Amino acid sequence: MQSELVTTPFGRRPVTLALVKRQIATKIESGKSADKWKIFRDVSTARELLGLQDRSLAILDALLSFYPENELRQDAGLVVFPSNAQLTLRAHGIAGATLRRHLAFLVEAGLILRKDSANGKRYARKDRAGAIESAFGFDLSPLLMRSEELAQMAQQVAADRKAFKRAKENLTICRRDVRKLITAAIEEGADGDWEKIEAIYVELVGRIPRSPTPSDLGDLLDEMNMLQEEILNTLDLQQKAENNSTNDAHYERHIQNSDTESINELEPSSRTEQGAIPRERTNVQPKAFPLGMVLRACPEIAAYGPGGVVGSWRDLMAAAVTVRSMLGVSPSAYQEACDAMGPENAAATIACILERAGHINSAGGYLRDLTSKTKRDEFSLGPVLMALLRANGGSGQKTG
């Protein structure tokens, strides 16, 4: 009967419905067993998720030491009944008030249950053969029942720690790379607004907290990667300009040294004429930024995704089509942007325009202007996203 599973605490300690529900839910599969020290290690790893402190773990360790077997088994009595004095001794002399407080924490965390006797004492009643008939103290059944759950929690904590360490290393490496790239560009006189880029770098570094959370590291790493991408794009554009200048000079020398007796070479030819060699297009569609970064910079676009959610690039592009129509951007203007920027970056640009819609008079004209600049290698989406991420967009004069 379920009434046998529920006990109320002795004395002034009140009973709560949550405690009653927890006791009723403590049903262990027949024949189940688990190593008690393996469970303890999992609880120790997942202690922050369980809301436990080191002293709570010390008391749980002491309680487990009073259970005679290494295996917790469903078919065995799982109640231990040490006195407070015995618990204090095995918990390395912990004070009485602290002991009671952390025992309550273990109960609240759903790791143990109290099974109090009529007078509140902890003891076991044995039969004539010396076997325990009933015991009053602390029931370890929840540990056995939740052993798989506790193992999964420990694995998740370990995975999160590993990911946190990797993100910290990646941020350190990216920070180093950005610093050295800026220094090299300034020292070697590369074209670009390096003072502004360095100011952004200094601001990013200044935002790194002493004890960062995984979320802090993720956001900062995204922005630092974006800044690095912007630096590399700036340097790459300069290299392309130098290459084009060299190629044009070489082409002119080739014309001058060609056979002047050929009339066809002196006459201008059409690009579509048979045999004509078209000039190579230098504009290459830039790589798309991470979707998560775009959504953090432009959160308003999410409401226009399928079902009000944007979970993939396909969802973002679908949302961009809806927003494009809402902002009055013509299909041809958006298609031209897709051709020049790539569909992902065009959708991200629409998201940025939506975020700044109150500052833009003509969204269609603004998008066409950005498309033209993209074709001339004069527009990069990175600084726009970074500005939105930093929430530095003021209420300046309208654009477009």
Side-chain angles (χ1 to χ4, degrees):
M1 295 177 61
Q2 286 195 342
S3 59
E4 297 175 356
L5 302 175
V6 177
T7 62
T8 57
F10 170 78
R12 296 180 179 179
R13 288 193 301 271
V15 67
T16 64
L17 294 181
L19 178 63
V20 173
K21 291 178 181 178
R22 194 178 301 142
Q23 291 185 30
I24 293 175
T26 306
K27 297 179 182 178
I28 305 173
E29 299 173 8
S30 178
K32 183 176 182 179
S33 64
D35 185 288
K36 65 180 183 181
W37 299 121
K38 167 65 170 57
I39 297 175
F40 178 74
R41 288 193 295 273
D42 290 338
V43 171
S44 299
T45 302
R47 66 181 180 276
E48 292 183 3
L49 296 179
L50 294 166
L52 299 179
Q53 302 173 10
D54 291 343
R55 291 197 174 184
S56 300
L57 296 178
I59 293 170
L60 180 60
D61 176 70
L63 284 173
L64 288 171
S65 71
F66 285 100
Y67 187 77
E69 305 293 334
N70 281 334
E71 292 280 324
L72 299 179
R73 301 194 321 274
Q74 176 268 337
D75 58 355
L78 294 176
V79 177
V80 293
F81 39 90
S83 66
N84 280 356
Q86 291 173 313
L87 267 178
T88 297
L89 184 62
R90 293 204 187 180
H92 310 292
I94 195 168
T98 305
L99 174 68
R100 290 188 292 274
R101 186 168 66 254
H102 286 278
L103 282 170
F105 289 161
L106 291 172
V107 173
E108 290 172 11
L111 298 179
I112 62 173
L113 293 172
R114 293 182 184 274
K115 188 176 180 183
D116 289 348
S117 64
N119 60 6
K121 300 293 184 180
R122 300 173 201 144
Y123 62 88
R125 184 177 292 114
K126 299 181 180 180
D127 59 18
R128 291 182 178 181
I132 295 177
E133 287 184 332
S134 58
F136 300 95
F138 298 103
D139 191 347
L140 304 178
S141 297
L143 288 172
L144 179 57
M145 184 192 73
R146 299 179 62 188
S147 58
E148 292 88 354
E149 176 195 351
L150 294 169
Q152 290 177 359
M153 292 173 70
Q155 291 170 7
Q156 184 60 50
V157 168
D160 290 345
R161 286 177 181 170
K162 186 176 180 180
F164 180 77
K165 182 179 179 182
R166 188 182 301 116
K168 204 170 183 180
E169 290 174 349
N170 290 340
L171 179 59
T172 299
I173 293 171
C174 188
R175 175 181 172 181
R176 179 195 67 199
D177 292 345
V178 168
R179 175 67 272 175
K180 292 192 174 184
L181 284 169
I182 293 173
T183 300
I186 293 174
E187 290 179 351
E188 297 182 25
D191 291 338
D193 192 351
W194 299 110
E195 289 185 4
K196 179 180 178 181
I197 290 174
E198 186 169 33
I200 294 173
Y201 168 78
V202 171
E203 188 265 342
L204 280 177
V205 172
R207 283 167 47 202
I208 300 176
R210 279 191 171 185
S211 301
T213 64
S215 177
D216 292 334
L217 284 184
D219 293 345
L220 288 167
L221 181 57
D222 283 346
E223 293 188 53
M224 195 67 76
N225 279 326
M226 194 183 301
L227 181 59
Q228 183 182 30
E229 188 72 23
E230 182 62 22
I231 292 170
L232 293 175
N233 284 342
T234 301
L235 296 174
D236 187 47
L237 290 176
Q238 181 178 348
Q239 183 64 37
K240 285 181 179 179
E242 291 174 357
N243 291 341
N244 288 340
S245 177
T246 302
N247 290 338
D248 288 345
H250 176 74
Y251 181 69
E252 289 175 5
R253 288 196 299 272
H254 175 72
I255 291 284
Q256 292 169 1
N257 295 332
S258 296
D259 182 5
T260 56
E261 293 182 1
S262 172
I263 297 177
N264 290 333
E265 286 186 344
L266 297 176
E267 293 178 351
S269 60
S270 168
R271 280 178 177 262
T272 58
E273 182 179 340
Q274 185 175 3
I277 302 176
R279 251 184 111 171
E280 183 181 357
R281 184 170 179 247
T282 59
N283 178 262
V284 179
Q285 289 180 359
K287 182 175 64 176
F289 291 97
L291 177 62
M293 184 190 306
V294 174
L295 294 178
R296 282 197 299 275
C298 310
E300 291 187 19
I301 192 72
Y304 299 92
V309 176
V310 171
S312 65
W313 278 110
R314 183 182 295 274
D315 292 346
L316 182 65
M317 288 187 277
V321 171
T322 301
V323 172
R324 185 272 305 163
S325 177
M326 183 185 73
L327 294 176
V329 176
S330 66
S332 61
Y334 185 57
Q335 184 58 52
E336 189 176 354
C338 289
D339 293 340
M341 304 176 183
E344 292 87 357
N345 283 335
T349 302
I350 288 290
C352 292
I353 293 175
L354 174 64
E355 206 71 23
R356 300 280 295 159
H359 301 266
I360 299 172
N361 285 327
S362 171
Y366 188 51
L367 181 62
R368 286 190 184 275
D369 182 55
L370 295 181
T371 301
S372 298
K373 289 182 177 179
T374 300
K375 292 178 180 179
R376 300 193 303 269
D377 290 331
E378 295 176 0
F379 171 69
S380 175
L381 186 60
V384 180
L385 290 173
M386 288 182 68
L388 290 172
L389 278 170
R390 296 194 308 273
N392 284 336
S395 57
Q397 294 191 1
K398 296 197 173 192
T399 313

PDB file of all heavy atoms in Angstrom, residues 130-143:
ATOM      1  N   GLY A 130      18.631 -12.081  14.345  1.00  0.00           N
ATOM      2  CA  GLY A 130      19.542 -10.945  14.208  1.00  0.00           C
ATOM      3  C   GLY A 130      19.337 -10.136  12.940  1.00  0.00           C
ATOM      4  O   GLY A 130      20.071  -9.156  12.711  1.00  0.00           O
ATOM      5  N   ALA A 131      18.383 -10.523  12.103  1.00  0.00           N
ATOM      6  CA  ALA A 131      18.102  -9.766  10.881  1.00  0.00           C
ATOM      7  C   ALA A 131      17.249  -8.547  11.216  1.00  0.00           C
ATOM      8  O   ALA A 131      16.394  -8.590  12.110  1.00  0.00           O
ATOM      9  CB  ALA A 131      17.378 -10.648   9.871  1.00  0.00           C
ATOM     10  N   ILE A 132      17.482  -7.457  10.499  1.00  0.00           N
ATOM     11  CA  ILE A 132      16.753  -6.218  10.752  1.00  0.00           C
ATOM     12  C   ILE A 132      15.330  -6.335  10.204  1.00  0.00           C
ATOM     13  O   ILE A 132      15.121  -6.591   9.018  1.00  0.00           O
ATOM     14  CB  ILE A 132      17.483  -5.023  10.113  1.00  0.00           C
ATOM     15  CG1 ILE A 132      18.844  -4.815  10.781  1.00  0.00           C
ATOM     16  CG2 ILE A 132      16.637  -3.757  10.231  1.00  0.00           C
ATOM     17  CD1 ILE A 132      19.661  -3.693  10.168  1.00  0.00           C
ATOM     18  N   GLU A 133      14.348  -6.139  11.091  1.00  0.00           N
ATOM     19  CA  GLU A 133      12.949  -6.155  10.674  1.00  0.00           C
ATOM     20  C   GLU A 133      12.504  -4.772  10.203  1.00  0.00           C
ATOM     21  O   GLU A 133      11.824  -4.631   9.198  1.00  0.00           O
ATOM     22  CB  GLU A 133      12.063  -6.602  11.849  1.00  0.00           C
ATOM     23  CG  GLU A 133      12.152  -8.080  12.167  1.00  0.00           C
ATOM     24  CD  GLU A 133      11.185  -8.456  13.270  1.00  0.00           C
ATOM     25  OE1 GLU A 133      10.872  -7.570  14.107  1.00  0.00           O
ATOM     26  OE2 GLU A 133      10.739  -9.606  13.295  1.00  0.00           O
ATOM     27  N   SER A 134      12.878  -3.751  10.945  1.00  0.00           N
ATOM     28  CA  SER A 134      12.537  -2.374  10.587  1.00  0.00           C
ATOM     29  C   SER A 134      13.614  -1.449  11.146  1.00  0.00           C
ATOM     30  O   SER A 134      14.257  -1.773  12.148  1.00  0.00           O
ATOM     31  CB  SER A 134      11.160  -1.985  11.134  1.00  0.00           C
ATOM     32  OG  SER A 134      11.138  -2.138  12.548  1.00  0.00           O
ATOM     33  N   ALA A 135      13.807  -0.336  10.460  1.00  0.00           N
ATOM     34  CA  ALA A 135      14.832   0.612  10.879  1.00  0.00           C
ATOM     35  C   ALA A 135      14.305   2.030  10.718  1.00  0.00           C
ATOM     36  O   ALA A 135      13.480   2.317   9.832  1.00  0.00           O
ATOM     37  CB  ALA A 135      16.102   0.416  10.054  1.00  0.00           C
ATOM     38  N   PHE A 136      14.789   2.915  11.560  1.00  0.00           N
ATOM     39  CA  PHE A 136      14.385   4.325  11.526  1.00  0.00           C
ATOM     40  C   PHE A 136      15.647   5.187  11.473  1.00  0.00           C
ATOM     41  O   PHE A 136      16.556   5.017  12.286  1.00  0.00           O
ATOM     42  CB  PHE A 136      13.551   4.660  12.766  1.00  0.00           C
ATOM     43  CG  PHE A 136      12.297   3.850  12.872  1.00  0.00           C
ATOM     44  CD1 PHE A 136      12.284   2.680  13.643  1.00  0.00           C
ATOM     45  CD2 PHE A 136      11.142   4.217  12.205  1.00  0.00           C
ATOM     46  CE1 PHE A 136      11.130   1.915  13.736  1.00  0.00           C
ATOM     47  CE2 PHE A 136       9.990   3.455  12.298  1.00  0.00           C
ATOM     48  CZ  PHE A 136       9.984   2.299  13.052  1.00  0.00           C
ATOM     49  N   GLY A 137      15.667   6.077  10.491  1.00  0.00           N
ATOM     50  CA  GLY A 137      16.839   6.930  10.309  1.00  0.00           C
ATOM     51  C   GLY A 137      16.742   7.671   8.985  1.00  0.00           C
ATOM     52  O   GLY A 137      15.783   8.399   8.737  1.00  0.00           O
ATOM     53  N   PHE A 138      17.725   7.396   8.113  1.00  0.00           N
ATOM     54  CA  PHE A 138      17.760   8.053   6.797  1.00  0.00           C
ATOM     55  C   PHE A 138      17.697   6.987   5.705  1.00  0.00           C
ATOM     56  O   PHE A 138      18.518   6.069   5.669  1.00  0.00           O
ATOM     57  CB  PHE A 138      19.030   8.889   6.647  1.00  0.00           C
ATOM     58  CG  PHE A 138      19.126  10.014   7.645  1.00  0.00           C
ATOM     59  CD1 PHE A 138      19.953   9.906   8.749  1.00  0.00           C
ATOM     60  CD2 PHE A 138      18.369  11.166   7.481  1.00  0.00           C
ATOM     61  CE1 PHE A 138      20.043  10.927   9.668  1.00  0.00           C
ATOM     62  CE2 PHE A 138      18.449  12.197   8.395  1.00  0.00           C
ATOM     63  CZ  PHE A 138      19.286  12.069   9.502  1.00  0.00           C
ATOM     64  N   ASP A 139      16.708   7.145   4.820  1.00  0.00           N
ATOM     65  CA  ASP A 139      16.483   6.178   3.741  1.00  0.00           C
ATOM     66  C   ASP A 139      17.298   6.600   2.510  1.00  0.00           C
ATOM     67  O   ASP A 139      17.156   7.722   2.006  1.00  0.00           O
ATOM     68  CB  ASP A 139      14.995   6.131   3.408  1.00  0.00           C
ATOM     69  CG  ASP A 139      14.628   4.980   2.489  1.00  0.00           C
ATOM     70  OD1 ASP A 139      15.549   4.362   1.909  1.00  0.00           O
ATOM     71  OD2 ASP A 139      13.425   4.709   2.342  1.00  0.00           O
ATOM     72  N   LEU A 140      18.145   5.695   2.015  1.00  0.00           N
ATOM     73  CA  LEU A 140      18.997   5.968   0.847  1.00  0.00           C
ATOM     74  C   LEU A 140      18.342   5.559  -0.473  1.00  0.00           C
ATOM     75  O   LEU A 140      18.974   5.628  -1.521  1.00  0.00           O
ATOM     76  CB  LEU A 140      20.336   5.220   1.000  1.00  0.00           C
ATOM     77  CG  LEU A 140      21.128   5.508   2.280  1.00  0.00           C
ATOM     78  CD1 LEU A 140      22.395   4.651   2.303  1.00  0.00           C
ATOM     79  CD2 LEU A 140      21.471   6.976   2.387  1.00  0.00           C
ATOM     80  N   SER A 141      17.075   5.163  -0.418  1.00  0.00           N
ATOM     81  CA  SER A 141      16.384   4.692  -1.625  1.00  0.00           C
ATOM     82  C   SER A 141      16.414   5.692  -2.784  1.00  0.00           C
ATOM     83  O   SER A 141      16.592   5.288  -3.944  1.00  0.00           O
ATOM     84  CB  SER A 141      14.934   4.327  -1.299  1.00  0.00           C
ATOM     85  OG  SER A 141      14.884   3.269  -0.381  1.00  0.00           O
ATOM     86  N   PRO A 142      16.228   7.011  -2.539  1.00  0.00           N
ATOM     87  CA  PRO A 142      16.248   7.949  -3.666  1.00  0.00           C
ATOM     88  C   PRO A 142      17.556   7.910  -4.459  1.00  0.00           C
ATOM     89  O   PRO A 142      17.548   8.134  -5.676  1.00  0.00           O
ATOM     90  CB  PRO A 142      16.052   9.306  -2.989  1.00  0.00           C
ATOM     91  CG  PRO A 142      15.314   9.007  -1.746  1.00  0.00           C
ATOM     92  CD  PRO A 142      15.854   7.692  -1.277  1.00  0.00           C
ATOM     93  N   LEU A 143      18.672   7.660  -3.784  1.00  0.00           N
ATOM     94  CA  LEU A 143      19.948   7.569  -4.491  1.00  0.00           C
ATOM     95  C   LEU A 143      19.933   6.431  -5.493  1.00  0.00           C
ATOM     96  O   LEU A 143      20.385   6.587  -6.639  1.00  0.00           O
ATOM     97  CB  LEU A 143      21.099   7.371  -3.498  1.00  0.00           C
ATOM     98  CG  LEU A 143      21.488   8.581  -2.644  1.00  0.00           C
ATOM     99  CD1 LEU A 143      22.502   8.160  -1.591  1.00  0.00           C
ATOM    100  CD2 LEU A 143      22.064   9.690  -3.515  1.00  0.00           C
TER     101      LEU A 143
END
